[in-house]
Amino acid sequence: MLRFGPAAGPVVVVALPLFEEANRTRAFAVTILRALAERGIAGALPDLPGQGESLVPTHETDLVTLRAAFAAAVEALKNPSPIGRGKEARSAGRVRATHDRVFALAIRSGTLLDTHAAVTARYHLSPMSGADLRRELIRARQASSREAGDTFDPASLDIASEPVELAGNLIAPAFLAVLAAAIPSTEAIRTVRLETEAKPADVKLPGSPLWRRAEPDNDPAFAQAVADDIAQWIAACAA
């Protein structure tokens, strides 16, 4: 995982959105974590199975695996363990960071991944349900099929036995089936959305929906606004 900021105190762990939106929002997430580090708050961005530098193909991951991996990343930041083995590692002072409080920052469908993590609280940015994600993936596949002069029947997903290509990703049919009922956690959350979003939120911020861009992009001003809000939220959680 990428690490930012101090080795102690609170730490914010990012759950990127699933599939292609992870690529579109990664630079944005890194900018948020760097801004938090400047405020004395640590940050971490783990590559979960099927994301980033992970060697696991997208079609071999599933929601259970992703949730367990995020929970494991959270635990690794709580519990110090020496890098290496035995007394040599400890005497050299090579000990991983340990944090007294861990906060999740989940973006879009990343809010489906922090449900099993033992975090102090959850910061959900433009959260969405698994059913919403599934519909968006299907719409993207239908649009690409029309452009290619083909047709795509969403009902075919219910009988598929092999990975299906949706929005440029091969996805296991079982994963798609589970997504239909997946929802974000409702425990200890702060919900934040863009000003342009109609759904309710604890606060709405000005910014760009980077997850809808055709290519990966960034919005530094939006990232700074999110970092400011997270810093104030963490301070309020400690009060």
Side-chain angles (χ1 to χ4, degrees), residues 108-122:
R108 292 275 283 171
S109 58
T111 57
L112 302 174
L113 307 183
D114 67 13
T115 55
H116 294 8
V119 295
T120 302
R122 298 169 174 82

Side-chain angles (χ1 to χ4, degrees), residues 108 126-129 132-133 135-136 191-204 212:
R108 292 275 283 171
S126 295
M128 65 190 306
S129 68
D132 288 338
L133 173 60
R135 281 191 291 270
E136 289 198 359
T191 300
V192 179
R193 295 186 183 276
L194 290 169
E195 288 180 338
T196 53
E197 294 183 68
K199 293 181 179 180
D202 293 307
V203 67
K204 294 192 176 183
R212 298 198 182 281

